[in-house]
Amino acid sequence: MFQNYFKVALRNILKHKFYSALNISGLALGLTACFIIGLYVIDELSFDQFHEDHDNLYSVALHGIIAEQEIYTSNSSPPVGPAMAAGIPGVEAMVRINTYSAMVMKYEDKAFTEMKAMDVDSNFFQFFSFKLLKGDPKEVLKEVNTMVITPEIATKYFGNEDPIGKIVTVDNDNRAVKITGVVEKCPSNSSIQYEILMSNIGDEFMKSTSWTNNGIFTYIRKNPNTTVESINMKLEEFVNKMVGPELQGAFGISFEDFKKNGGVYSYYIFPTERTHLFATELQDSMTPRSDIKYVYILGAVGVFILVIACINFMNLSTARSASRAKEVGLRKTLGSERSKLIFQFLAESFIYTLAGTVIAIVAVYLLIPSFQLLSGKAIGFGAMLQPVMIMGVVGIFVLVSFMAGSYPAFYLTSFKPVDVLKGKVKAGMRSKGIRSALVVVQFTISITLIISTMIVYNQLSYMQERSIGMDKQNVIILRNTSRLGNSREGFKQSVESQAGIVGSSYTNNVFPGVNNTTVFRMAGSQQDHILGTYFTDYDQAKTLKFEIVQGEFFTRGHIADSSVCLINEAAIKEFGWEGDVLKKKITSYNGERPHDMEVIGVVKDFNFESLKVKVRPLIVQFSKQSNNLVIRYDGSASAAIDKVRDEWKRIAPNDPFEYSFLDERFDELFREEQRLGQVFTVLTGIAIFVACLGLLGLASFTAEQRTKEIGIRKVMGATVSSVSTLLSREFMILVAIAFVVASALAWYVMDNWLSSFAYRIPMDASAFIIGGVLSGAIAWLTVSYHFVRAARSNPADSLRYE
């Protein structure tokens, strides 16, 4: 019996090829976008959930308020983890990780700079569920100077040779380290991204007993029966006991007085599996984090596109239902039962949806590589086989099939045959109230996406083009110049003598960001102030083109040592100074003992961090021993790199030459937003296209339904333009209504999104006007084809219609 239903349904679908093609293509496109976004959302939500007992893994974070400045950081101090494991019953285990920004490694005559090397505790592979391919998890990191590497590193260093037992030399001290294991490449949905894991037994920083010297990542596994609150309370006791004496020694203030003055210094634990999406306030992350709001936004867009595709499906189904009303009446008159007619319509809907779903799955398979490039996600087609995706696909299939077929199946079949044959149902269908409402919903979503995409693009362009107070263009960064030894200064001079090289400067810091934030005071004051600080030489102002608004930068021939410094304008406000601040004294607590520094210059505020935050107070100090060289060039980047590389190879032929560009590093700060903008653009195009497919079908149906009216109007003297304008008017009114609703919705959503940026574009009317005009033009072009064609038809043919 069911086989007959599907045969008849298939015959009806093939009979109306144009509508069927529109239905299936629109639905397939909507499902494709929905499935791909679903894969993205699932990947984001799955971060760090592959670890055994993942719901009991927590990272230790620090919340501090010092000098009225609030800090949230993922970093902790070395003794915190061991103290928790030994002193808190609910903490079953702990592991610590110390990361390196860059580490030089050598094997025989080959040298490499590794960016994903880290020191870890020996129980790393017992704590986390990273898979060892070679070696014993309990033994591989138990001895000093041992190392575990990924297969990719093993191939890069040793080719096809077995890496176990090989010796490599590490860093400037050429420390010999033995490879004891090979670990599987870490999953893309891991917040810990490694390539080299070294035993931290010989790491001097890990031996530190200071509770205020934060710079490592600490993880703990808690007992399932232990509450987070009890662990945090015990941590507070440790802080009171251990941090108090350190504050007293450093700043001459008791911990009780520190807290009475509004100070906060508190460690707490945060779920590891929530760190990637729900810890946006935490600074100093091991890997770039995302934001749950972006998951919500893209998830909502995926649902919206599916809704648009479903609306198309329902619109075309209800539009065709008017023409099929007589069919229903005749079949009921000839004895067809209502239940059989319901099954018939649902079978048609089932076939439509099945075809759209199959096409969508094939499209996902073909488009996954392109989406990987677009989103930066390493998502494979195998993710479609996850239980949650299979359940989602089946659920969407059943829901869409039922929704699309329910109107004709349950509404049309409910009328008496006599009413249908008299045309009462058909007349009711022509009111088009339901279809009009659905078109408004479609274009509200589409116009909202158009406006939002334009605002996102404008904000990203503003962030890339805005002057940040220094010139980030045409600047090369060299790391690990300490490998040059006593030739560092000679190398700098040789580079500067090359044609096209404008200048260079040594610094211990590579923007964006500063690598040290510490406490300073005005000389003679007991008021603490938190400022960022870094060290550089004489030439940085010239190289990065800082603007000096008072005094001068470090200059040869004048005192340039630890007794002088420069500050930015934000630091002047922080200290509450006014007017000329030269020769004012600042007490630094960065070092073994406090020392005073004299202000010799003021740097105009420049954005050394993300444009999402205001410029922080900054102190620039002098040093000749920094490890990074920034080089400004004119002309071709490749020519400048070749010249610098030649000089490097002349002085250090066996050391790796690794470089980056300053502007690219700043661009990385909002890479997530850039990818969001790219994905938004593609999805907006899909939404508009799917909506236009629906309009195309409705325009064709409307022209068909009004054929006789068109013929009469032409006989009465109406022109082609007047007829097409008349027919287009109702659709343009619907688009205008959608524009009003979409403008309010887009304003609310985008104003909310822009509020996360300290420096943002204004919400002017241009994006809304362009969005409205663009959507109106697309809608008019979509419907005008059929209406102009109908208006140009021969009136005699029109009047013979039916």
Side-chain angles (χ1 to χ4, degrees):
M1 181 178 71
F2 289 106
Q3 186 177 6
N4 292 331
Y5 287 135
F6 287 111
K7 282 183 179 179
V8 175
L10 186 60
R11 192 160 53 242
N12 283 329
I13 290 171
L14 294 175
K15 181 180 176 182
H16 303 278
K17 293 179 181 178
F18 176 74
Y19 292 108
S20 299
L22 288 178
N23 250 340
I24 293 173
S25 58
L27 184 62
L29 194 55
L31 288 172
T32 301
C34 187
F35 292 161
I36 289 179
I37 292 174
L39 293 176
Y40 175 91
V41 170
I42 290 171
D43 183 75
E44 285 287 279
L45 295 176
S46 69
F47 258 72
D48 296 313
Q49 294 191 6
F50 59 89
H51 294 298
E52 185 180 346
D53 202 22
H54 60 84
D55 50 347
N56 287 310
L57 299 184
Y58 288 76
S59 58
V60 180
L62 172 66
H63 174 216
I65 300 178
I66 304 175
E68 299 181 352
Q69 293 191 35
E70 192 166 24
I71 301 169
Y72 285 93
T73 177
S74 303
N75 282 339
S76 58
S77 58
V80 171
M84 293 178 70
I88 302 179
V91 177
E92 297 180 339
M94 74 87 201
V95 69
R96 298 167 300 169
I97 300 174
N98 188 18
T99 60
Y100 296 93
S101 58
M103 179 169 282
V104 175
M105 297 195 174
K106 289 184 177 181
Y107 177 69
E108 295 179 343
D109 60 343
K110 295 180 289 187
F112 308 91
T113 300
E114 302 299 346
M115 310 304 290
K116 294 182 180 179
M118 52 188 69
D119 284 347
V120 299
D121 283 316
S122 60
N123 65 332
F124 181 85
F125 291 108
Q126 297 164 271
F127 189 94
F128 294 114
S129 299
F130 298 115
K131 184 180 178 182
L132 264 180
L133 303 177
K134 292 184 178 181
D136 185 340
K138 297 180 181 179
E139 303 294 331
V140 286
L141 297 172
K142 209 167 185 178
E143 298 179 7
V144 67
N145 294 331
T146 52
M147 173 193 297
V148 175
I149 60 177
T150 62
E152 291 74 18
I153 293 294
T155 301
K156 183 167 74 171
Y157 284 32
F158 314 111
N160 295 323
E161 297 180 30
D162 186 357
I164 302 300
K166 299 284 188 183
I167 304 295
V168 298
T169 55
V170 176
D171 222 3
N172 295 335
D173 56 2
N174 290 322
R175 175 166 47 100
V177 180
K178 182 171 71 173
I179 297 173
T180 54
V182 177
V183 60
E184 190 175 64
K185 182 180 179 180
C186 49
S188 61
N189 60 344
S190 170
S191 59
I192 301 173
Q193 292 291 320
Y194 57 76
E195 289 183 340
I196 294 173
L197 299 166
M198 295 179 291
S199 170
N200 68 9
I201 295 174
D203 190 335
E204 290 300 319
F205 182 62
M206 287 293 194
K207 300 175 184 178
S208 170
T209 59
S210 171
W211 279 62
T212 57
N213 190 9
N214 297 288
I216 66 166
F217 299 93
T218 302
Y219 297 85
I220 62 113
R221 178 187 290 114
K222 79 172 186 65
N223 187 294
N225 299 319
T226 303
T227 65
V228 171
E229 291 75 17
S230 65
I231 293 177
N232 285 338
M233 287 177 61
K234 193 67 176 178
L235 260 177
E236 186 176 356
E237 293 179 16
F238 287 162
V239 169
N240 289 336
K241 179 181 178 182
M242 306 303 296
V243 174
E246 292 187 33
L247 286 179
Q248 183 76 45
F251 305 119
I253 183 174
S254 68
F255 198 39
E256 290 72 20
D257 289 339
F258 169 75
K259 290 192 287 187
K260 285 179 183 177
N261 293 330
V264 173
Y265 196 94
S266 173
Y267 289 109
Y268 65 98
I269 60 173
F270 192 88
T272 300
E273 63 185 7
R274 290 176 62 86
T275 303
H276 179 67
L277 291 175
F278 297 91
T280 53
E281 78 281 358
L282 285 176
Q283 302 169 355
D284 308 308
S285 61
M286 194 180 304
T287 53
R289 293 198 181 105
S290 186
D291 192 328
I292 188 62
K293 69 181 179 184
Y294 294 144
V295 175
Y296 291 150
I297 289 171
L298 287 178
V301 171
V303 172
F304 287 158
I305 291 177
L306 182 61
V307 167
I308 290 175
C310 291
I311 287 174
N312 273 359
F313 207 166
M314 294 175 66
N315 256 345
L316 292 175
S317 297
T318 56
R320 285 186 55 232
S321 296
S323 61
R324 298 189 66 184
K326 269 184 184 174
E327 174 195 336
V328 174
L330 287 171
R331 292 178 65 177
K332 291 185 77 172
T333 301
L334 294 173
S336 290
E337 298 175 7
R338 186 188 178 198
S339 60
K340 292 181 179 180
L341 292 173
I342 290 174
F343 276 115
Q344 184 64 60
F345 281 112
L346 290 177
E348 287 185 30
S349 178
F350 176 87
I351 293 174
Y352 275 125
T353 311
L354 179 62
T357 303
V358 171
I359 293 171
I361 291 174
V362 173
V364 169
Y365 176 78
L366 297 174
L367 293 174
I368 277 288
S370 298
F371 184 75
Q372 290 175 344
L373 294 175
L374 188 68
S375 65
K377 284 283 186 184
I379 302 173
F381 183 74
M384 284 290 292
L385 302 178
Q386 295 181 56
V388 65
M389 276 302 297
I390 294 174
M391 291 173 60
V393 171
V394 172
I396 289 173
F397 171 76
V398 172
L399 182 64
V400 173
S401 297
F402 184 79
M403 284 176 59
S406 60
Y407 186 87
F410 295 101
Y411 181 72
L412 279 184
T413 59
S414 66
F415 288 95
K416 295 178 181 179
V418 64
D419 291 333
V420 175
L421 295 176
K422 285 181 178 180
K424 292 181 180 180
V425 176
K426 186 175 180 180
M429 292 298 224
R430 282 179 175 169
S431 67
K432 298 184 283 291
I434 295 175
R435 295 198 298 277
S436 297
L438 294 178
V439 169
V440 169
V441 172
Q442 276 187 315
F443 270 83
T444 296
I445 295 171
S446 301
I447 296 170
T448 300
L449 289 175
I450 290 175
I451 295 171
S452 300
T453 299
M454 292 178 65
I455 292 174
V456 169
Y457 175 80
N458 290 340
Q459 175 65 19
L460 295 179
S461 298
Y462 170 77
M463 292 170 68
Q464 286 178 303
E465 296 167 5
R466 182 183 185 274
S467 173
I468 61 172
M470 67 174 169
D471 188 354
K472 62 184 179 181
Q473 306 298 327
N474 292 3
V475 176
I476 302 169
I477 302 168
L478 298 186
R479 308 292 290 267
N480 287 313
T481 57
S482 57
R483 306 289 297 183
L484 300 174
N486 296 329
S487 301
R488 290 169 69 256
E489 191 60 32
F491 172 74
K492 182 177 184 293
Q493 292 173 6
S494 297
V495 166
E496 290 180 346
S497 68
Q498 299 295 316
I501 302 299
V502 177
S504 64
S505 169
Y506 278 112
T507 175
N508 78 328
N509 184 73
V510 177
F511 295 119
V514 291
N515 56 12
N516 195 1
T517 298
T518 190
V519 174
F520 294 87
R521 290 177 180 173
M522 292 182 287
S525 170
Q526 298 300 307
Q527 175 78 35
D528 293 332
H529 300 273
I530 298 291
L531 287 87
T533 183
Y534 76 98
F535 293 83
T536 189
D537 63 9
Y538 302 105
D539 302 313
Q540 182 151 98
K542 178 186 70 174
T543 303
L544 295 183
K545 299 185 179 180
F546 296 147
E547 183 179 342
I548 308 300
V549 295
Q550 288 189 37
E552 61 183 4
F553 206 75
F554 306 119
T555 56
R556 295 173 177 84
H558 293 76
I559 294 176
D561 56 22
S562 62
S563 66
V564 296
C565 69
L566 288 96
I567 61 176
N568 66 353
E569 294 171 309
I572 295 177
K573 296 175 184 176
E574 173 69 21
F575 288 123
W577 292 335
E578 294 181 358
D580 187 355
V581 300
L582 301 181
K583 297 189 177 180
K584 287 189 177 291
K585 300 286 180 126
I586 297 173
T587 301
S588 171
Y589 289 85
N590 187 20
E592 295 182 1
R593 60 180 63 88
H595 65 278
D596 288 344
M597 299 182 297
E598 180 181 292
V599 176
I600 63 169
V602 177
V603 180
K604 185 178 178 62
D605 279 346
F606 64 93
N607 292 95
F608 55 87
E609 295 173 309
S610 169
L611 289 178
K612 287 188 174 183
V613 296
K614 294 284 187 183
V615 176
R616 289 196 293 129
L618 179 70
I619 290 182
V620 185
Q621 301 181 69
F622 180 81
S623 174
K624 291 182 178 180
Q625 306 302 318
S626 298
N627 194 30
N628 307 296
L629 184 66
V630 291
I631 303 168
R632 176 166 295 284
Y633 65 90
D634 275 339
S636 167
S638 59
I641 290 168
D642 288 341
K643 291 171 183 175
V644 176
R645 181 190 286 111
D646 290 343
E647 288 302 313
W648 179 278
K649 292 301 181 183
R650 184 178 63 81
I651 296 174
N654 297 322
D655 287 300
F657 176 75
E658 305 269 349
Y659 66 90
S660 60
F661 291 97
L662 185 61
D663 57 344
E664 291 180 353
R665 290 178 58 85
F666 273 95
D667 288 347
E668 283 292 331
L669 291 177
F670 51 95
R671 186 68 67 201
E672 188 76 15
E673 285 77 12
Q674 287 179 316
R675 286 173 176 158
L676 178 69
Q678 293 170 341
V679 172
F680 242 76
T681 301
V682 172
L683 294 179
T684 299
I686 292 174
I688 286 291
F689 184 74
V690 173
C692 287
L693 284 179
L695 270 189
L696 188 65
L698 286 179
S700 175
F701 171 77
T702 300
E704 180 184 330
Q705 290 291 303
R706 300 177 71 174
T707 300
K708 188 171 290 187
E709 175 192 344
I710 293 169
I712 293 171
R713 287 183 180 275
K714 290 195 70 177
V715 169
M716 298 297 292
T719 63
V720 172
S721 61
S722 64
V723 172
S724 62
T725 300
L726 174 68
L727 297 175
S728 304
R729 185 183 302 159
E730 66 177 271
F731 288 98
M732 300 313 297
I733 291 173
L734 297 179
V735 173
I737 295 171
F739 170 70
V740 173
V741 178
S743 295
L745 182 60
W747 183 284
Y748 173 78
V749 173
M750 285 292 99
D751 190 56
N752 221 335
W753 179 70
L754 288 171
S755 65
S756 64
F757 296 91
Y759 303 92
R760 51 169 281 183
I761 60 171
M763 288 279 284
D764 57 36
S766 60
F768 295 85
I769 294 172
I770 295 173
V773 171
L774 184 61
S775 58
I778 291 172
W780 185 82
L781 288 172
T782 301
V783 300
S784 63
Y785 167 75
H786 277 296
F787 291 153
V788 170
R789 182 183 175 191
R792 285 180 173 174
S793 62
N794 191 327
D797 295 333
S798 302
L799 294 175
R800 282 200 301 266
Y801 180 69
E802 292 186 342

CSV table of all heavy atoms in Angstrom, one decimal, residues 6 101 264:
chain,number,residue,atom,x,y,z
A,6,PHE,N,3.9,6.2,-2.6
A,6,PHE,CA,5.1,6.9,-3.1
A,6,PHE,C,5.2,6.9,-4.6
A,6,PHE,O,5.8,7.9,-5.1
A,6,PHE,CB,6.3,6.1,-2.5
A,6,PHE,CG,6.5,6.4,-1.0
A,6,PHE,CD1,6.3,5.4,-0.1
A,6,PHE,CD2,6.9,7.6,-0.6
A,6,PHE,CE1,6.5,5.6,1.2
A,6,PHE,CE2,7.0,7.9,0.8
A,6,PHE,CZ,6.8,6.9,1.7
A,101,SER,N,57.4,30.7,24.3
A,101,SER,CA,57.0,31.4,23.1
A,101,SER,C,57.8,30.9,21.9
A,101,SER,O,57.3,30.8,20.8
A,101,SER,CB,57.2,32.9,23.2
A,101,SER,OG,58.5,33.2,23.5
A,264,VAL,N,42.3,42.5,46.2
A,264,VAL,CA,41.9,41.1,46.1
A,264,VAL,C,43.0,40.3,45.5
A,264,VAL,O,43.7,40.7,44.5
A,264,VAL,CB,40.6,41.0,45.2
A,264,VAL,CG1,40.3,39.5,45.0
A,264,VAL,CG2,39.4,41.7,45.8
